Amino acid sequence: MHHFGHIAPAVRKRLFHQEPCSFTADSPARVLSAALGATLYSPATRPNLADDILKQGARGLVSMVLCLEDSIDDADVPVGEANLVRHLTDLAERSDIAVPLLFIRVRVPEQIPELVRRLGPAVRLLSGFVLPKFTEERGMPFLEALSAAEASSGRRLFAMPVLESPDLLYRESRVQTLEGIFRAVDKYRDRVLALRLGVTDFCASYGLRRGPDMTAYDVQIVASVIADVVNMLARADGTGFTVTGPVWEYFRVQERMFKPQLRQSPFLEGQAVELRQKLIEHSMDGLLREISLDRANGLLGKTCIHPSHVLPVHALSVVSHEEFSDAQDILRPERCGGGVMRSAYTNKMNEVKPHRAWAERTLLRAEVFGVANEDIGFVELLAAGLSD
């Protein structure tokens, strides 16, 4: 699979200076953690689950979570488990199909080995498990269960812990909780693909809900948690993990309080005025702003609950030609001693040592999401994906 693989080759050639690389569920964790992109959550109880997985994969989705936790009623868990096993078994029996990276969001550790046992050979379609409300005390049994299930099945299985506990939110317990989380995930570093942020649960602790005109970063108590998670768990010194962006809850808004947040000029230049209006009508301007803020704050990828969110996440994950040029200049072997230079675009300073970690991360993102041609921006990427 590869990002933007659903777009015609001739169109990709026009869009990309460097096309996204191909990868599989067996690719190195370094590649997969960067390539997750928009991770679409789906209730495991959906009656056409197998067909839904294939349909979304054909539309460009590369990672999906089949949820047995908050998205379904407590009473529906046994039905959801049976439905999930039945549909994954069905998919495994089909020939010549490609599925996204598939993860199961469980409720308790015991579900992990039990589901792996019930899946049998179909476990080959599974990339791992999403672990809810993760703290050191609560999370270790999940990680131990995943390790045991991996050993018994012979299948590499990754964990994606969700950071959503109130202990993370409360000032008096936050640092201690983050330290504990780091100890737990560091012990199982090779199997922790990414850490996910449960911002909806953070808001719930204070009876809050951000509106479609607000991003997670406008809710100060949430923004402070994101900052501390990145500070302690996403450092660029080799100790950090990929942390993904919070879920965007909206997909259509009937009435707005504030002006749209999308500038008109990029859409006028790209002759995509109708696309701008469509994005605004579906509250995508807020999503696009939040994706930009995610990346500015050190997050990569995003939890999604609606298929319409996938393309905007991927379009804004593509590395611009300017970013690529800067990153390559910074990482040239002859500049390993440091120094400062004017960028090739002659609009900024590139300082080799301070910008090195940024450049390395940018080239990894370029590997999995591609590099846009000089005259291509997110508007053209969005338009091409929507018109395909």
Side-chain angles (χ1 to χ4, degrees), residues 85-97:
V85 170
R86 181 170 63 255
H87 282 278
L88 289 188
T89 301
D90 171 45
L91 282 176
E93 292 172 351
R94 304 188 196 185
S95 59
D96 298 326
I97 62 163

Side-chain angles (χ1 to χ4, degrees), residues 38-86:
T39 301
L40 184 66
Y41 275 53
S42 174
T45 51
R46 287 183 66 87
N48 300 313
L49 188 61
D51 291 337
D52 290 344
I53 291 169
L54 295 178
K55 181 172 69 175
Q56 296 308 324
R59 292 178 175 177
L61 184 75
V62 304
S63 63
M64 190 170 187
V65 173
L66 313 177
C67 185
L68 290 165
E69 210 226 0
D70 286 348
S71 69
I72 66 174
D73 190 275
D74 296 347
D76 290 336
V77 173
V79 173
E81 290 178 337
N83 190 63
L84 187 155
V85 170
R86 181 170 63 255

Side-chain angles (χ1 to χ4, degrees), residues 15-37:
L15 294 174
F16 288 99
H17 170 76
Q18 173 184 300
E19 290 198 26
C21 71
S22 296
F23 56 91
T24 72
D26 297 318
S27 292
R30 164 188 167 276
V31 172
L32 295 183
S33 65
L36 287 168

Side-chain angles (χ1 to χ4, degrees), residues 269-334:
E269 293 166 6
Q271 297 182 332
V273 175
E274 290 184 7
L275 172 59
R276 178 179 182 271
Q277 187 57 39
K278 182 177 180 180
L279 292 170
I280 291 170
E281 288 175 357
H282 289 77
S283 192
M284 294 297 181
D285 55 325
L287 170 62
L288 291 170
R289 180 167 178 262
E290 185 166 284
I291 296 166
S292 298
L293 288 169
D294 286 341
R295 202 167 81 218
N297 284 277
L299 310 184
L300 182 61
K302 198 165 188 65
T303 297
C304 296
I305 47 83
H306 196 272
S308 64
H309 298 169
V310 173
L311 183 58
V313 173
H314 292 171
L316 282 177
S317 298
V318 173
V319 173
S320 71
H321 188 273
E322 181 175 344
E323 290 176 310
F324 185 63
S325 173
D326 288 340
Q328 283 192 313
D329 282 348
I330 290 164
L331 295 177
R332 291 189 189 282
E334 65 270 22

Side-chain angles (χ1 to χ4, degrees), residues 108-222:
V108 294
E110 293 76 19
Q111 285 178 296
I112 295 176
E114 177 62 15
L115 286 168
V116 167
R117 182 191 66 78
R118 292 171 66 179
L119 284 168
V123 76
R124 68 179 179 81
L125 298 182
L126 195 62
S127 291
F129 291 86
V130 175
L131 314 180
K133 300 172 178 58
F134 193 92
T135 62
E136 181 180 28
E137 181 179 2
R138 177 178 165 82
M140 286 301 292
F142 281 100
L143 292 170
E144 291 164 358
L146 180 127
S147 181
E150 182 180 65
S152 66
S153 67
R155 171 68 180 166
R156 182 181 70 168
L157 296 170
F158 286 111
M160 291 201 292
V162 185
L163 310 185
E164 55 189 344
S165 166
D167 291 336
L168 266 176
L169 198 62
Y170 302 150
R171 180 181 292 274
E172 66 271 19
S173 56
R174 184 180 303 172
V175 172
Q176 182 179 355
T177 301
L178 284 168
E179 289 173 342
I181 289 170
F182 179 80
R183 285 192 294 268
V185 295
D186 188 50
K187 183 177 180 180
Y188 289 86
R189 176 173 292 274
D190 291 343
R191 287 298 172 263
V192 175
L193 193 61
L195 305 176
R196 312 200 71 90
L197 288 166
V199 165
T200 301
D201 281 45
F202 289 158
C203 289
S205 296
Y206 288 88
L208 304 175
R209 186 175 191 179
R210 71 187 190 277
D213 296 310
M214 301 286 177
T215 71
Y217 302 92
D218 294 313
V219 183
Q220 291 300 300
I221 196 162
V222 170

